Amino acid sequence: MRYATLAVLMVAGFFLGAAGAEAQSAMLNLPDTSQAAHVAQRIGITDISIDYHRPLVRGRKIFGGLQPYGKVWRAGANTNTVISFSDPASIEGQALPKGVYGLHMIPGETSWIIIFSRNSSSWGSFTYDPAEDALRVTVKPQTIENHEALSYDFDDPEPNADVITLRWEKVAVSFKVEVNTPKIVEQSLRKQLRGRVQFEWQPWQEAANYLLDNKLSAEEAAKDADRSIENEDRFENEMTRARALSVLGRKDEARTAQEKAIAMGTQPQIHDFGRGLQRQGRQDEALELFRNNIKKDPNSWVAHNEAARIAVAKSDYDSAIREMKLAVTAATGTVKTQNADLVTLLENKVDINK
């Protein structure tokens, strides 16, 4: 028994020594020769993470040398490289279900194969089985300056996509990840709303606006706006309800909801809503809203600002400048500065309604 134990220790010592001077142990907490790393990125509400180990080049020829071309590789060191997606995604245009995957690669001189394996718990690629592939994609490698420690980076974050790049030695390999953020959020909203305190008005209002802003279900948006109004009837959710009804083609109901909102809203609230209409290019609607809003308090900075905007629409810059200067006089704090900046724009005949 003593000799068997000694033999096991000698073999273990051989393999640990071959890994480098910094010994690794399956029993003790000792430093790894190739250090562990974790990178993560959120795209929309989708979380993507990669857990891997970072070998060093150390003067060796890696690809086409230590790691032969055409042979499956664990895309890191030590254990499996693991990549996870909290929602369905597409990789280089090909669908991949949400989940946790073992990440493997097959290097080549002119092309690389990226493999997402349903087995994420193997020890590297030594027991890799192609039958467990969830997806394979082929990409082109790029030549770079020497990159000593293997790394993964999220290089190009966008609202619905990112590019993941492996860099090691003189090679960079990238693959694009895309997610359908609006659809994922739409599917997530029901669960999120169920978890909220049910008498809040804000979450239902936010959900309705998200659906409308992203041209998703106007029917669901109308229901969410109604639920928000049930909790607390306000200018904001009445306006959102009007938007949803308008999209659904229920014009008379939309007009009624908007008139109710305007009656409830403060002058600044209505001003902000009108400015939103202008940014959408709905100038006539915004100007009509301003004409009615001025009547609430003709001497406020809001009224003078809106009068200036109405004058600009007629190309009457002299009147617009006069009204905007009155807005500066009536305003305080940062609003005074903002209106003063608008005076300068008007003096240069800039259309402030755009």
Side-chain angles (χ1 to χ4, degrees), residues 16 51 148 176 207 217 225 230 233 241 271 315 322 343:
L16 290 174
D51 290 278
E148 181 65 19
K176 187 169 186 177
S217 173
E230 287 174 13
D233 198 0
R241 182 171 184 268
H271 174 77
S315 297
R322 183 171 60 253
V343 170

Side-chain angles (χ1 to χ4, degrees), residues 182 185-186 188-194 196 201-218 220-225 227-228 240 243-244:
V185 174
E186 182 180 26
S188 168
L189 283 175
R190 297 309 106 198
K191 182 177 180 180
Q192 291 186 57
L193 289 170
R194 289 187 67 183
R196 297 292 309 183
W201 68 270
Q202 297 96 326
W204 305 92
Q205 156 82 2
E206 290 176 6
N209 277 328
Y210 185 87
L211 294 172
L212 293 170
D213 290 344
N214 289 277
K215 296 180 173 55
L216 298 170
S217 173
E220 285 297 319
K223 291 178 183 178
D224 289 340
R227 180 61 182 273
S228 179
T240 299
R243 284 181 65 198

Side-chain angles (χ1 to χ4, degrees), residues 113-125:
I113 297 172
I114 314 295
I115 303 168
F116 298 85
S117 171
R118 288 185 292 272
N119 186 333
S120 63
S121 59
S122 294
W123 188 61
S125 297

Side-chain angles (χ1 to χ4, degrees), residues 71-337:
K71 184 177 179 181
V72 68
W73 171 55
R74 55 189 160 183
N78 299 342
T79 59
N80 243 12
T81 296
V82 176
I83 186 167
S84 67
F85 302 86
S86 64
D87 296 294
S90 69
I91 311 296
E92 293 292 314
Q94 298 189 48
L96 182 69
K98 72 175 183 179
V100 180
Y101 299 94
L103 184 62
H104 305 269
M105 299 185 184
I106 301 178
E109 291 188 70
T110 59
S111 66
W112 283 46
I113 297 172
I114 314 295
I115 303 168
F116 298 85
S117 171
R118 288 185 292 272
N119 186 333
S120 63
S121 59
S122 294
W123 188 61
S125 297
F126 300 100
T127 59
Y128 163 75
D129 184 350
E132 296 172 329
D133 287 0
L135 177 66
R136 282 188 172 208
V137 297
T138 301
V139 297
K140 299 292 184 183
Q142 301 293 321
T143 301
I144 60 174
E145 294 295 321
N146 187 64
H147 198 80
E148 181 65 19
L150 185 149
S151 68
Y152 285 92
D153 298 290
F154 291 86
D155 282 341
D156 191 16
E158 299 176 2
N160 299 309
D162 208 330
V163 173
I164 297 176
T165 302
L166 173 146
R167 294 180 176 88
W168 196 29
E169 195 192 25
K170 296 183 178 181
V171 176
V173 177
S174 300
F175 56 93
K176 187 169 186 177
V177 179
E178 296 175 280
V179 295
N180 189 341
T181 296
K183 195 67 179 177
I184 290 168
V185 174
E186 182 180 26
Q187 293 169 351
S188 168
L189 283 175
R190 297 309 106 198
K191 182 177 180 180
Q192 291 186 57
L193 289 170
R194 289 187 67 183
R196 297 292 309 183
V197 176
Q198 295 299 294
F199 54 76
E200 297 174 324
W201 68 270
Q202 297 96 326
W204 305 92
Q205 156 82 2
E206 290 176 6
N209 277 328
Y210 185 87
L211 294 172
L212 293 170
D213 290 344
N214 289 277
K215 296 180 173 55
L216 298 170
S217 173
E219 190 71 45
E220 285 297 319
K223 291 178 183 178
D224 289 340
D226 285 341
R227 180 61 182 273
S228 179
I229 290 167
E230 287 174 13
N231 289 340
E232 184 177 339
D233 198 0
R234 301 174 60 92
F235 166 83
E236 296 94 327
N237 45 31
E238 288 287 356
M239 274 298 189
T240 299
R241 182 171 184 268
R243 284 181 65 198
L245 293 171
S246 180
V247 173
L248 291 169
R250 295 156 62 178
K251 303 299 182 184
D252 291 340
E253 293 175 78
R255 188 178 305 107
T256 299
Q258 182 166 319
E259 289 172 355
K260 180 180 179 182
I262 290 170
M264 297 171 67
T266 65
Q267 203 174 34
Q269 281 180 318
I270 296 168
H271 174 77
D272 289 342
F273 180 76
R275 289 291 294 129
L277 292 176
Q278 288 190 313
R279 285 188 286 271
Q280 296 170 33
R282 298 160 63 182
Q283 294 294 338
D284 291 342
E285 294 176 66
L287 296 174
E288 183 60 30
L289 196 65
F290 291 158
R291 291 187 187 95
N292 292 323
N293 200 31
I294 288 170
K295 298 173 185 176
K296 287 198 169 189
D297 182 358
N299 298 314
S300 68
W301 74 263
V302 172
H304 290 300
N305 181 294
E306 292 176 340
R309 294 181 184 281
I310 293 169
V312 167
K314 301 174 182 176
S315 297
D316 182 358
Y317 281 89
D318 290 338
S319 296
I321 292 168
R322 183 171 60 253
E323 288 292 343
M324 197 61 75
K325 285 181 177 179
L326 290 171
V328 173
T329 301
T332 59
T334 57
V335 176
K336 180 184 285 288
T337 302

